Amino acid sequence: AACDNENVMVELITDGIHSHPSTVRTTFKMFGDDRVVLISDSMMACGLEDGQYSLGGQAVTVKGNLATLTELGNIAGSVTNLMNCVRTAVKVMDIPLASAIKCAAVNPAKAIGIYDQYGSLDAGKQANEASNGGFTVLKI
């Protein structure tokens, strides 16, 4: 039903934990890169070393980019930032780089109605105000 409604966008976590690569590829085939928004499920331990942390008052164990409930071992989320989700989508899940960037930057800005100010490096947009001349190098 969501695929049939052209006004529906899908949010997709491409951290290598939440969704299998074939599911990600299938989602892109169904919705196209105009209707996919890449997101992360990152918790506050993102960027920190493996160890014990808290999430919503529950103890979680972080190992690599996976966070599990310490007591039960169930998945609690991940500690993968959006850039690493883009990297995983491209390198592991075979999503074209241009599509992954579009789904992580352009589509979210369009979805919330701020594309006129954010979401690309077009002149006059917020992302274009970098002191390095507006150029950003992404290492994928």
Side-chain angles (χ1 to χ4, degrees), residues 6-132:
E6 64 186 36
N7 297 313
V8 173
M9 298 183 86
V10 61
E11 294 180 347
L12 194 57
I13 304 170
T14 56
D15 59 4
I17 293 172
H18 285 82
S19 303
H20 190 275
S22 63
T23 302
V24 171
R25 288 188 295 273
T26 299
T27 303
F28 269 84
K29 286 177 186 175
M30 289 174 59
F31 286 86
D33 67 4
D34 287 330
R35 295 176 52 205
V36 173
V37 175
L38 295 186
I39 63 170
S40 74
D41 184 31
S42 190
M43 56 173 277
M44 62 187 229
C46 182
L48 302 177
E49 61 188 39
D50 291 355
Q52 301 295 311
Y53 298 93
S54 177
L55 176 64
Q58 295 182 311
V60 295
T61 301
V62 171
K63 185 172 183 182
N65 65 340
L66 174 64
T68 56
L69 295 175
T70 302
E71 189 174 312
L72 303 173
N74 300 10
I75 184 173
S78 83
V79 292
T80 308
N81 61 42
L82 187 57
M83 183 61 215
N84 285 334
C85 287
V86 168
R87 187 176 286 115
T88 300
V90 172
K91 288 186 157 189
V92 177
M93 301 174 174
D94 298 323
I95 302 302
L97 176 60
S99 291
I101 296 296
K102 177 180 180 181
C103 294
V106 173
N107 293 353
K110 286 182 177 180
I112 63 172
I114 61 168
Y115 186 65
D116 60 326
Q117 296 176 4
Y118 299 93
S120 71
L121 296 176
D122 295 335
K125 289 191 176 182
Q126 296 297 321
N128 198 38
E129 294 181 12
S131 60
N132 64 358

